[in-house]
Amino acid sequence: MDLRSLDMNLLLPLHALLEERSVSRAAQRLSLSQPALSASLAKLRRLFGDELLVRHGNAYELSPLAVSLRERTWAAVQTMDRLFSAQAEFDPATSDRDFRILGADYAFRIAGREISLAVSAAAPHARLTFETLTWETLEAAPESLRDCDGMILPHGFIGSDRYLDVLEDRWVVVAWEHNEELGETLTEQDLARLPWVLAMNRATQFTPAVRQMQTLGIEPRVEVVTPSFATLPALVAGTQRLGLLQERLALAVQSLHGLRILEFPVPVPPIKDAFWWNGIYDSDPGHQWLRSVLAEVAATFAEMPGDGG
């Protein structure tokens, strides 16, 4: 498609229409008249050869194509916003920039408070958006790094040389404190014998600890799979299940869920969470400032390892 033939003014109406699913609400959102938005919708329908908004009773629903366009349109709007908000200099005291960081719930639970306090202390008018990383975005990395300021993830998920180590942790096993199937220490036999709750148990997303067990011929008997480390402790409490958790998170939720924290009986490499970014932001003054803030936060974590954040 020849970009010169496209009306780029249609991007914001498309984004508003897909988000609001209503011509009137989209018009109000963009401070435009309804006839103007209706005209934009007509152009978009011709452009895509699709209805996009399909009337169903008294409301509109997104067509299958519109559903697939929604996330990509949002990413395009974010990219455009970053492009035109770029500045030769960055003053944190006056900037109202929105910094968008993607990551797993673990990273935000442990490091989110410190990062947010550091950003707001120096840039009181800026906004920090933490967004849970989807599998689709992760699998599209490093290309998907163009659509955000960066991602906080362990090493091994993104093939990029642009990263800043933020915090280090280690894997531990959690069990309900009244689990009578366990002795004083956890054994390799326990790993194979008892049921498990696992997070990130997919072919392309897995924890090194699980892979290490499998390498040693120990296949965990997975009873429950959850997409979130934050939900894992509640799925262990009151059962005979074992769960694999980062030590900082385990310490933070131990008393809340009545858990025991057990040493992993086989050697497992430590977890190293880093902030990853795309090279297009290397020379961005605002992004350089954000990386300096993250480096300061990382230094504080290095001084207090394993305390639950």
Side-chain angles (χ1 to χ4, degrees), residues 2-17:
D2 186 354
L3 291 178
R4 293 171 297 180
S5 67
L6 291 178
D7 183 354
M8 299 305 292
N9 291 322
L10 292 175
L11 178 58
L12 291 180
L14 175 62
H15 176 56
L17 287 164

Side-chain angles (χ1 to χ4, degrees), residues 73-243:
T73 302
W74 186 89
V77 170
Q78 294 296 311
T79 300
M80 185 176 68
D81 180 67
R82 293 176 188 281
L83 175 64
F84 289 102
S85 63
Q87 298 173 318
E89 297 181 358
F90 178 80
D91 181 5
T94 59
S95 175
D96 61 354
R97 179 164 171 170
D98 183 359
F99 293 102
R100 178 172 170 249
I101 299 176
L102 278 59
D105 54 359
Y106 159 76
F108 300 145
R109 172 65 176 81
I110 300 303
R113 179 177 182 274
E114 283 69 23
I115 295 173
S116 65
L117 290 175
V119 169
S120 61
H125 305 292
R127 183 171 66 176
L128 186 61
T129 299
F130 290 137
E131 185 174 326
T132 302
L133 183 64
T134 65
W135 299 124
E136 292 74 20
T137 303
L138 176 57
E139 291 171 347
E143 287 75 15
S144 53
L145 284 168
R146 292 176 176 270
D147 303 327
C148 61
D149 286 289
M151 301 178 186
I152 300 180
L153 284 171
H155 285 260
F157 286 92
I158 297 180
S160 172
D161 58 356
R162 290 178 169 84
Y163 66 88
L164 170 69
D165 286 328
V166 176
L167 77 123
E168 186 169 321
D169 209 335
R170 68 190 188 108
W171 292 109
V172 295
V173 175
V174 292
W176 186 38
E177 60 185 355
H178 300 299
N179 187 340
E180 297 179 353
E181 294 292 320
L182 290 171
E184 290 298 317
T185 60
L186 189 68
T187 67
E188 292 188 28
Q189 290 72 27
D190 293 329
L191 299 182
R193 179 174 60 88
L194 294 174
W196 281 84
V197 181
L198 290 180
M200 298 178 64
N201 190 44
R202 292 169 53 136
T204 54
Q205 293 92 27
F206 54 85
T207 62
V210 171
R211 178 55 60 88
Q212 183 66 12
M213 282 195 290
Q214 294 171 333
T215 300
L216 296 173
I218 303 170
E219 190 63 41
R221 180 161 61 90
V222 181
E223 192 169 273
V224 180
V225 175
T226 174
S228 166
F229 286 109
T231 61
L232 188 147
L235 297 171
V236 168
T239 75
Q240 295 181 349
R241 299 166 183 157
L242 303 177

